[in-house]
Amino acid sequence: ANDAKSFISVECSGCLSQCGKGPNIMIEESSGKTTTPGKLYFGVDGVGAASAVLDVACGLDSPIELLIASSSMIKARSASSPSKKESLLNPTIEKLSTHPEFSTSTAYAHALTMRADARLELIPPNIQGALEDIQIASSILPTDAKVWRVMADAQEANGDIKAAVKSVMKWSEYDPSFRTKAKKELSRLSSSLNC
C-alpha cells in the first residue's frame, strides 16, 4: 500500500443519482486515457466505512488523515457560504500541510483549490490568499484542469489578465471538454486587454 499513493486520486464527485442510498463511493480504475466504469458502494457513512471499502475494493490500507480530509472537502462543497467553506477547509489544510507524507498529496492540492475558489467568492475577496493556495496546488497537480481554472480567476481578480489568459489555455488543454467555455473566456479576457 505504500506505493498506492502514486496512483490513487480521491476526488469529490457530482451527483451519482443514488442520494437515498448514500453517502456513496465510486471506485474507478484508470490507465492512461481510459477509465474502467466504476463500482458503486452505498451507505458509506463514515471514515471507517470508507477505509473498509478502499481496503476491500483496492487492497489499500487508507491513511485516516486522507479519509478525514475527503470528508471535510465533501462538507465544504455543500457549505452555505464561502466563509463557511473556508472555515471547514482550514483545519484540513493545516493538518495536511504539516504532515510530511501528505503535504504533496492530491488531497492537499484539491483542498487548497477549493479554498482558493472560496477565497475569491468572499466579500471582499482574499485575492492574495487565493493566489498563494492555487500556486501551491499547481505545483502539486500541474495538469489538473480545475487548478488552472481557479488560477485564471485568481489572476484576473489580481489584475494580471495576461497570466489569466495563459491559465485559461492550460485549463482547456488539460480538460478538452471545456474548450468551448475556454474560448468564450479567452475572448472575454482578450477584450478586457484591449480596453
Side-chain angles (χ1 to χ4, degrees), residues 162-183:
K162 288 182 181 180
V165 165
K166 289 178 183 176
S167 293
V168 168
M169 291 170 69
K170 286 186 178 187
W171 170 48
S172 173
E173 176 186 344
Y174 296 130
D175 191 344
S177 69
F178 285 108
R179 283 210 172 119
T180 302
K181 275 187 169 182
K183 282 182 184 178

Side-chain angles (χ1 to χ4, degrees), residues 9-29:
S9 177
V10 177
E11 299 179 17
C12 298
S13 71
C15 178
L16 297 172
S17 300
Q18 301 293 328
C19 297
K21 298 178 182 177
N24 307 305
I25 292 181
M26 171 80 68
I27 305 283
E28 294 180 336
E29 291 185 40

